[in-house]
């Protein structure tokens, strides 16, 4: 039987050295993967400690990436649990509301995916 976690439980694991996330209702302790992530650690820390299903799916992770994710599975999210608002340390915006981090970490993978789609299917 899988262990059940609340969003409050997840929100406490929000640092590079202790990082959990929820993807498709499953909870993953991805702390050991932070250094290995091909997209860099910043994107994981930015999306960690919350439900990262949307960003995970938007990037278009491969079947291999989805299979690798199973290695970090620790339980399921409590469906009765409500998402917790990020604390200041979890927020991905600066004091003036502008996004922090490098926009290229999003733009470059997006351009690569679009180029692959274009050359594979449209040319």
């Amino acid at each position: 039987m899988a262990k059940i976690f609340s969003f409050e439980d997840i929100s406490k694991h929000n640092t590079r050295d202790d990082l959990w996330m929820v993807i498709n209702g499953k909870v993953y302790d991805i702390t050991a993967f932070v250094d290995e992530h091909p997209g860099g650690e910043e994107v994981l820390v930015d999306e960690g400690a919350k439900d990262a299903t949307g960003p995970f799916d938007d990037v278009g992770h491969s079947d291999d990436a989805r299979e690798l994710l199973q290695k970090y599975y620790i339980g399921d999210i409590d469906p009765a649990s409500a998402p917790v608002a990020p604390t200041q340390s979890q927020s991905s915006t600066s004091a003036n509301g502008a996004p922090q981090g490098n926009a290229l970490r999003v733009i470059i993978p997006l351009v690569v995916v679009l180029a692959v789609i274009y050359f594979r299917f449209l040319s």
Side-chain angles (χ1 to χ4, degrees):
M1 188 164 142
K3 184 159 179 162
I4 303 296
F5 297 96
S6 70
F7 277 105
E8 186 175 341
D9 296 331
I10 307 307
S11 71
K12 295 174 185 173
H13 301 273
N14 62 359
T15 67
R16 179 190 190 294
D17 298 321
D18 179 23
L19 192 60
W20 293 9
M21 70 174 40
V22 177
I23 299 174
N24 295 317
K26 297 190 181 299
V27 180
Y28 301 95
D29 179 350
I30 57 167
T31 308
F33 185 65
V34 170
D35 290 330
E36 299 173 30
H37 187 249
E41 72 180 56
E42 186 176 324
V43 69
L44 292 181
V45 174
D46 285 350
E47 296 301 331
K50 60 185 174 194
D51 189 337
T53 302
F56 183 84
D57 289 342
D58 288 347
V59 171
H61 283 92
S62 67
D63 290 339
D64 290 338
R66 291 174 189 279
E67 186 176 315
L68 178 64
L69 192 59
Q70 299 312 310
K71 175 179 174 182
Y72 303 102
Y73 172 76
I74 58 171
D76 294 325
I77 194 71
D78 180 354
S81 174
V84 176
T87 64
Q88 189 66 18
S89 66
Q90 289 174 257
S91 177
S92 63
T93 59
S94 64
N96 67 3
Q100 290 180 344
N102 186 346
L104 290 177
R105 68 181 169 82
V106 174
I107 294 171
I108 290 174
L110 181 61
V111 169
V112 170
V113 168
L114 291 174
V116 167
I117 290 169
Y118 175 80
F119 286 109
R120 180 165 273 184
F121 299 108
L122 300 175
S123 61

